[in-house]
Amino acid sequence: MSKGQFAIIGTGEVPCGWYPDRSHLEIASMAAYLAIKDAGINKDDIDGVLGQMSIMGNDWNTEVTFGRLPEALGIKNCKTTALVSSGGASSHSIRKAAEGLLISGHDMVLCVHSQRFSEFTPGQLAEGFAKAGCDPEWEIPYGMSFNALGAMVTQRYCYETGTTVEQVGSVCVAARKWALLQDNAMNKKDLTLEQVMGSRMVSTPLTAFMCNVLADGGSAFIMTTAERAKKLVDKPVYILGEGSRYSHRNLTKAKDLTRIVTKPAADEAYNKSGLGPEDMDIAQIYASYPVFTLMIFEDMGFCKRGEAGKYFMDGNTMPGGKMPVCTNGEALSFGHTGTGVGTALLVESVRQLQGKAGRAQVPGARFLIEDCGGGAFMDVHCAVLGNEIP
Amino acid sequence: MSTEYNKPLPVPQKWSQEFWKGTKDHKFLLKKCKDCGNIDHPPYYYCTECMSLEHEWVEASGKGTIYTYSTTYMGAPPVFTKEQPFTLAMIDLAEGPRMLSRIVDAGPEEIKIGADVEVVFEDVTEDTTLVMFRLVK
Ligand SMILES: [Zn+2]
């Protein structure tokens, strides 16, 4: 991919939360409808439709695999449809698949994510996520859970850097401030550090408010080549540089548990874009647990190792702060929609750079870095996006 | 005992069956490559360093240190909730690999990063024995 070769021209999103009456197809249809209307294109110009895997939603995954989306969305000129996933890194893999289509005979690709969790009990979800995050032979028999994974990383990161648990908790407070500016966010009430620290202990040192709340939701975006995008919309959002690294499946095999593999991925994305952390107006960090926000923020070059905790605690990343982080409230406050957390962040990134972010709009945002990562923190994919090609 | 045990049991791959036969005899075995000496844990089909198919099972010392840990008070998968609180840990084995396990016979406040631990064999059913660890006092 060369710099600014591809662009996103429109996005759509449904409210995130507990909506038992809303089906997978309904979420996908609403998100796609909004994205097509937002881009202002004719739906018949779309010739590729990609769906993102739903966690535990096997029937929906089968539907997407067997071609439901183009038929339901009336994409008459569709040439290719497929289901794409790499866990939490799905916003990256679906974008890569779309780019592959665009360089091989397709003009415009619609990417759709749809997730329901409301059909499951809390116990089923704990078990389902344990299976997704942990090894069935070497970890699950010990009672491993996704929260315990996040907790063990937090424990080690605090031990190595001297970061306090309160500083980790301050990430959740900042996330909530942003979510309050988002109409589609699940959480609508302010959250204080006292509430975060005083909530029930889940897995030491993580309290309930430091863990994600799973929710139903979905979003969609439309991708095309930069050349085409310029003719179609006022402000296409260009992909200026990307970098990816894989680390492990089992967390015990992580190359470095308290850094994951962000730095080389971020450096690669910056290098390709010709920009650096000093040029970024926003950092959209896929974390899911607050400790990852801190370590990824550091490895994206915004703070020295071990200094992010204080930076967050001082309020620098909140609305109106020096360096806005996760302007949709991320999984912690917007809501965790399975493989869609990264997609929601990508969609919010595009809205910010198109000046369509409403109350959460960061004035004059031109460039930002976003990342996603999946599994038990198995990989990191960073992308620098911009509304101009520098 | 096996009729009462309702928690998930390890489902071995063909190449890890020796490990679980070992634990049943209270032996902690690791898969070591005969060509390059690499120890793979978890084991895989071939040596993940040099792709050799030649390997031997060597008995581990059972010694290690705690790399990180967490005590779960709530939110464990349903079949484990009755055991809460329990402490999971990543153990850096003396032989090199890091593995996930449980720390037994210790209160949450006694468990620290860097603490020395030693293996304990927990016969959870007639056929299955899990490797756990306790603090070296
Ligand atoms: Zn070898």
Side-chain angles (χ1 to χ4, degrees):
Chain A
M1 186 196 85
S2 63
K3 179 160 127 184
Q5 187 181 352
F6 302 105
I8 297 173
I9 58 171
T11 63
E13 182 179 75
V14 304
C16 185
W18 215 243
Y19 295 96
D21 294 337
R22 198 174 62 181
S23 71
H24 272 110
L25 183 58
E26 195 176 340
I27 296 168
S29 304
M30 288 163 72
Y33 176 88
L34 292 169
I36 294 166
K37 294 290 177 189
D38 179 49
I41 54 156
N42 182 336
K43 72 176 167 53
D44 296 333
D45 292 341
I46 297 168
D47 55 4
V49 181
L50 300 175
Q52 210 168 292
M53 191 190 83
S54 163
I55 302 258
M56 299 167 74
N58 292 337
D59 290 348
W60 172 246
N61 293 335
T62 304
E63 277 289 293
V64 176
T65 307
F66 286 83
R68 173 66 63 201
L69 284 172
E71 178 179 305
L73 303 174
I75 310 299
K76 305 264 187 300
N77 296 319
C78 183
K79 296 174 185 168
T80 302
T81 190
L83 179 75
V84 182
S85 179
S86 49
S90 295
S91 58
H92 173 262
S93 52
I94 200 168
R95 208 170 69 220
K96 287 284 128 189
E99 290 171 8
L101 293 179
L102 292 171
I103 56 171
S104 53
H106 295 65
D107 284 334
M108 204 178 285
V109 182
L110 170 65
C111 301
V112 186
H113 168 256
S114 171
Q115 175 71 48
R116 276 167 57 82
F117 282 125
S118 59
E119 58 196 90
F120 303 105
T121 64
Q124 285 172 323
L125 293 171
E127 205 174 274
F129 267 76
K131 276 184 189 156
C134 316
D135 186 300
E137 182 171 3
W138 305 102
E139 298 179 339
I140 285 179
Y142 293 106
M144 192 64 170
S145 62
F146 223 105
N147 289 332
L149 287 171
M152 283 193 272
V153 176
T154 309
Q155 198 85 274
R156 183 73 197 186
Y157 173 84
C158 289
Y159 171 84
E160 283 190 24
T161 64
T163 301
T164 66
V165 180
E166 284 77 10
Q167 288 172 339
V168 176
S170 73
V171 173
C172 309
V173 177
R176 185 60 59 91
K177 299 270 186 237
W178 284 109
L180 295 177
L181 304 177
Q182 294 281 349
D183 294 339
N184 288 333
M186 179 185 203
N187 290 295
K188 308 279 188 201
K189 280 189 194 153
D190 201 11
L191 181 68
T192 65
L193 188 57
E194 291 66 37
Q195 285 172 312
V196 174
M197 300 312 294
S199 58
R200 287 214 285 164
M201 184 53 74
V202 175
S203 275
T204 55
L206 297 183
T207 61
F209 277 124
M210 291 189 228
C211 300
N212 299 278
V213 180
L214 298 172
D216 301 354
S219 56
F221 62 92
I222 297 168
M223 252 183 108
T224 186
T225 58
E227 205 180 335
R228 245 180 107 74
K230 282 174 206 164
K231 293 178 197 147
L232 292 168
V233 297
D234 290 341
K235 268 195 181 176
V237 171
Y238 303 101
I239 295 148
L240 300 174
E242 295 174 303
S244 292
R245 289 293 184 280
Y246 167 84
S247 172
H248 59 271
R249 162 59 166 145
N250 290 13
L251 201 54
T252 51
K253 297 287 282 180
K255 293 191 174 86
D256 184 342
L257 194 73
T258 66
R259 287 182 182 83
I260 308 298
V261 278
T262 309
K263 195 176 183 313
D267 287 349
E268 198 175 315
Y270 287 136
N271 287 341
K272 286 183 182 164
S273 68
L275 300 168
E278 64 285 358
D279 301 307
M280 298 299 113
D281 298 307
I282 303 169
Q284 305 284 29
I285 298 175
Y286 185 130
S288 72
Y289 291 93
V291 70
F292 290 95
T293 316
L294 298 180
M295 68 172 83
I296 292 171
F297 189 72
E298 289 169 357
D299 289 337
M300 282 178 167
F302 298 110
C303 261
K304 288 203 187 100
R305 169 99 165 156
E307 291 180 359
K310 183 174 184 309
Y311 194 85
F312 274 73
M313 190 90 149
D314 290 346
N316 292 307
T317 67
M318 289 183 186
K322 270 192 278 190
M323 187 63 208
V325 174
C326 299
T327 58
N328 73 344
E330 213 254 335
L332 290 162
S333 266
F334 185 86
H336 191 308
T337 58
T339 70
V341 176
T343 317
L345 270 177
L346 178 65
V347 159
E348 165 65 6
S349 298
V350 174
R351 283 195 300 245
Q352 285 284 353
L353 295 172
Q354 289 191 318
K356 295 177 182 173
R359 289 179 292 142
Q361 183 66 47
V362 174
R366 288 195 304 158
F367 303 114
L368 60 81
I369 184 164
E370 63 95 44
D371 86 295
C372 63
F377 323 109
M378 71 173 183
D379 55 1
V380 178
H381 306 272
C382 292
V384 173
L385 309 181
N387 54 23
E388 58 185 89
I389 302 175
Chain B
M1 201 203 294
S2 56
T3 50
E4 293 164 17
Y5 196 79
N6 65 343
K7 288 172 279 184
L9 290 167
V11 182
Q13 299 281 351
K14 279 197 184 114
W15 54 80
S16 59
Q17 283 169 0
E18 284 303 311
F19 178 91
W20 298 107
K21 274 186 209 156
T23 60
K24 214 177 145 187
D25 298 334
H26 290 201
K27 280 190 178 139
F28 181 11
L29 302 177
L30 294 168
K31 183 173 179 266
K32 185 173 183 180
C33 174
K34 274 188 173 171
D35 284 323
C36 78
N38 171 53
I39 293 174
D40 270 319
H41 189 84
Y44 284 108
Y45 172 61
Y46 55 68
C47 169
T48 62
E49 288 295 327
C50 76
M51 288 188 72
S52 171
L53 294 167
E54 301 300 318
H55 65 272
E56 58 189 332
W57 288 90
V58 295
E59 192 165 354
S61 64
K63 306 280 183 216
T65 57
I66 296 177
Y67 174 74
T68 189
Y69 66 95
S70 176
T71 304
T72 296
Y73 286 85
M74 60 182 276
V79 287
F80 291 98
T81 51
K82 271 191 232 141
E83 294 166 31
Q84 293 172 160
F86 58 85
T87 301
L88 297 162
M90 289 190 197
I91 310 298
D92 280 341
L93 301 175
E95 290 75 15
R98 181 173 295 159
M99 76 177 284
L100 185 100
S101 185
R102 272 228 203 160
I103 306 294
V104 294
D105 302 333
E109 64 293 340
E110 295 175 78
I111 298 164
K112 298 273 182 284
I113 287 177
D116 292 325
V117 290
E118 62 190 8
V119 73
V120 182
F121 294 97
E122 294 282 338
D123 301 320
V124 296
T125 70
E126 271 171 36
D127 298 319
T128 304
T129 300
L130 296 178
V131 170
M132 299 196 187
F133 289 84
R134 67 177 166 223
L135 297 172
V136 178
K137 297 193 181 167

